[in-house]
């Protein structure tokens, strides 16, 4: 869990703290009956590592049941029947374990922090992550994907289109179920990573031009990051095969942020009702998906995880994941 570099820095700093609280530490006459002063870690780096270790210890052995719980009594019976309970499975645990491991690469994390501070002046956050090979995301495991689509491990379809695929780590959990993998991505550095994985990368105007239809379209945490979310839903409706499915993940509470616009706001707004997970899920179904001519077949609540940095081994938001069919 803790790298030698992290441990060495913390031991040095805690030794200083002990000596500050017990000036005669090490002598036979040390009085350990007096109340020590509150420990203050003077080194900013050691302080960051210490609090990250505390955070890790709170999570490393947890199954995080609260991440997946929804207040089902807040839904109508019709909506409640579509809820798929999930839990922290092996795929999720493996991603978290990798986060803990990478966060302990202290000198790599320091180099990334320095590079990010410089590159952010002239590159988007997504492109910086693509260039540095950091910040991979996790939405659902392969098993959770099967559960959402109600298929087994032997199921195979012709084509998947993953919109806004980032570095392709999330796409990997779906790729074995399809003969052809298509992706889109605005960031040039992320497009190169997708190409390196062997995925076909389509231009933004190409995927919905009517030349092909897809068995499954995934749109994971894109609607709050795009300029025209309803237009994307309309394009997906036209581009999915008649018997196909669309998988949409959105962060709840919904908070749009568009990297490509000057004010970081979308020109097309989704008029959602409510503030809680349950209220916004219901509003997405009634006020967004149904007007876009989709029927929700299933939905679930999962953590949206991101690889961390020096401060945290991972970061977490709450995702609602919907499975849609054309209506």
């Amino acid at each position: 869990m803790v790298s030698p570099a992290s441990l060495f820095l913390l031991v040095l700093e805690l030794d200083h703290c002990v000596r500050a609280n017990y000036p005669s530490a090490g002598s036979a006459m040390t009085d350990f009956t007096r109340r020590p002063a509150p420990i203050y870690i003077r080194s900013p780096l050691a302080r960051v590592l210490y609090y990250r270790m505390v955070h890790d210890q709170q999570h490393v052995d947890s199954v995080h049941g609260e991440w997946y719980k929804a207040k089902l009594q807040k839904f109508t019976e019709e909506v409640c029947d579509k809820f798929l309970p999930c839990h922290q499975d092996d795929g999720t645990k493996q991603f978290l374990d990798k986060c803990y491991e990478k966060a302990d690469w202290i000198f790599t994390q320091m180099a990334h922090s320095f590079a990010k501070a410089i590159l952010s002046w002239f590159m988007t956050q997504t492109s910086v992550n693509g260039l540095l090979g950091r910040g991979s995301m996790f939405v659902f495991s392969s098993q959770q994907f099967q559960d959402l689509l109600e298929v087994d491990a032997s199921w195979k379809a012709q084509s998947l289109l993953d919109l806004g695929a980032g570095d392709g780590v999330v796409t990997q959990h779906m790729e074995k179920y399809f003969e052809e993998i298509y992706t889109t991505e605005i960031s040039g550095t992320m497009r190169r990573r997708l190409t390196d994985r062997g995925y076909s990368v389509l231009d933004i105007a190409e995927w919905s031009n009517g030349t092909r239809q897809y068995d499954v379209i995934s749109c994971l945490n894109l609607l709050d990051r795009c300029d025209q979310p309803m237009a994307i839903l309309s394009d997906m409706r036209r581009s999915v095969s008649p018997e196909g499915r669309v998988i949409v993940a959105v962060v709840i509470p919904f908070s749009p942020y568009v990297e490509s616009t000057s004010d970081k706001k979308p020109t097309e707004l989704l008029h959602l009702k409510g503030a809680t997970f349950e209220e916004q899920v219901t509003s997405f179904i009634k006020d967004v998906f149904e007007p876009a001519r989709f029927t929700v077949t299933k939905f679930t609540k999962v953590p949206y995880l991101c690889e961390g940095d020096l401060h945290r081994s991972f970061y977490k938001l709450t995702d609602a994941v919907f499975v849609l069919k054309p209506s």
Side-chain angles (χ1 to χ4, degrees):
M1 173 60 66
V2 182
S3 69
S6 301
L7 190 59
F8 178 70
L9 287 169
L10 284 171
V11 167
L12 286 180
E13 187 57 43
L14 290 174
D15 176 69
H16 166 78
C17 293
V18 170
R19 292 178 185 277
N21 282 280
Y22 302 104
S24 56
S27 71
M29 300 301 294
T30 300
D31 178 10
F32 286 100
T33 62
R34 68 185 178 91
R35 185 183 182 89
I39 290 180
Y40 171 71
I41 302 178
R42 60 175 178 170
S43 164
L45 177 58
R47 194 182 313 129
V48 164
L49 295 176
Y50 172 75
Y51 286 116
R52 198 199 77 219
M53 288 169 57
V54 170
H55 180 264
D56 287 352
Q57 290 304 315
Q58 295 171 347
H59 289 275
V60 67
D61 294 321
S62 175
V63 296
H64 299 112
E66 69 280 3
W67 288 357
Y68 301 89
K69 290 181 180 177
K71 297 176 181 177
L72 300 183
Q73 69 275 15
K74 300 291 185 179
F75 294 122
T76 65
E77 183 177 354
E78 179 187 8
V79 173
C80 189
D81 288 343
K82 298 177 180 180
F83 181 73
L84 173 70
C86 283
H87 66 279
Q88 180 175 291
D89 63 2
D90 290 341
T92 311
K93 184 66 164 57
Q94 288 169 11
F95 181 83
L96 288 171
D97 287 344
K98 187 176 181 181
C99 289
Y100 297 133
E101 177 187 353
K102 293 180 75 171
D104 272 334
W105 300 348
I106 302 302
F107 298 111
T108 299
Q109 295 293 351
M110 291 173 63
H112 282 175
S113 295
F114 177 77
K116 177 183 172 183
I118 302 300
L119 295 172
S120 294
W121 282 94
F122 50 90
M123 296 176 71
T124 66
Q125 182 63 58
T126 301
S127 293
V128 171
N129 286 341
L131 182 63
L132 298 178
R134 64 186 298 276
S136 292
M137 306 292 190
F138 182 92
V139 180
F140 47 66
S141 65
S142 296
Q143 182 60 57
Q144 289 164 344
F145 174 78
Q146 290 178 204
D147 294 341
L148 283 164
L149 289 188
E150 301 180 273
V151 299
D152 60 27
S154 64
W155 181 77
K156 199 86 169 179
Q158 184 63 33
S159 59
L160 166 72
L161 170 64
D162 191 11
L163 299 175
D167 61 2
V169 169
V170 177
T171 318
Q172 279 186 309
H173 295 291
M174 302 181 283
E175 69 173 25
K176 66 181 180 180
Y177 303 101
F178 300 93
E179 299 291 343
E180 302 168 357
I181 308 293
Y182 299 94
T183 61
T184 69
E185 179 56 55
I186 293 177
S187 166
T189 59
M190 290 297 191
R191 288 171 65 92
R192 286 194 290 274
R193 291 197 174 274
L194 292 169
T195 300
D196 291 343
R197 292 183 184 276
Y199 301 149
S200 298
V201 183
L202 305 179
D203 290 335
I204 298 301
E206 182 182 358
W207 69 269
S208 59
N209 62 9
T211 58
R212 61 170 65 90
Q213 287 190 316
Y214 311 91
D215 296 302
V216 173
I217 300 177
S218 57
C219 178
L220 308 179
N221 300 296
L222 179 62
L223 293 186
D224 61 345
R225 294 295 181 261
C226 67
D227 190 38
Q228 297 179 305
M230 289 303 295
I232 286 185
L233 284 168
S234 178
D235 288 341
M236 289 193 292
R237 177 65 179 75
R238 291 196 309 272
S239 302
V240 68
S241 63
E243 300 301 320
R245 293 292 184 268
V246 171
I247 304 176
V248 176
V250 292
V251 172
I252 304 291
F254 190 76
S255 180
Y257 179 88
V258 183
E259 286 184 332
S260 60
T261 61
S262 58
D263 60 359
K264 308 305 179 186
K265 296 179 180 179
T267 58
E268 188 177 67
L269 298 176
L270 298 183
H271 300 288
L272 295 173
K273 299 182 180 70
T276 68
F277 177 85
E278 294 75 19
E279 290 169 342
Q280 290 204 350
V281 162
T282 300
S283 187
F284 260 107
I285 294 173
K286 300 299 181 182
D287 303 320
V288 177
F289 298 138
E290 289 182 1
R293 296 188 298 142
F294 282 113
T295 298
V296 174
T297 62
K298 282 192 181 299
F299 76 95
T300 191
K301 180 181 181 181
V302 293
Y304 178 30
L305 301 171
C306 175
E307 288 179 348
D309 49 27
L310 281 174
H311 298 268
R312 285 284 186 270
S313 293
F314 67 89
Y315 292 95
K316 174 239 171 217
L317 296 171
T318 297
D319 254 356
V321 181
F322 301 88
V323 180
L324 316 177
K325 68 176 182 180
S327 52

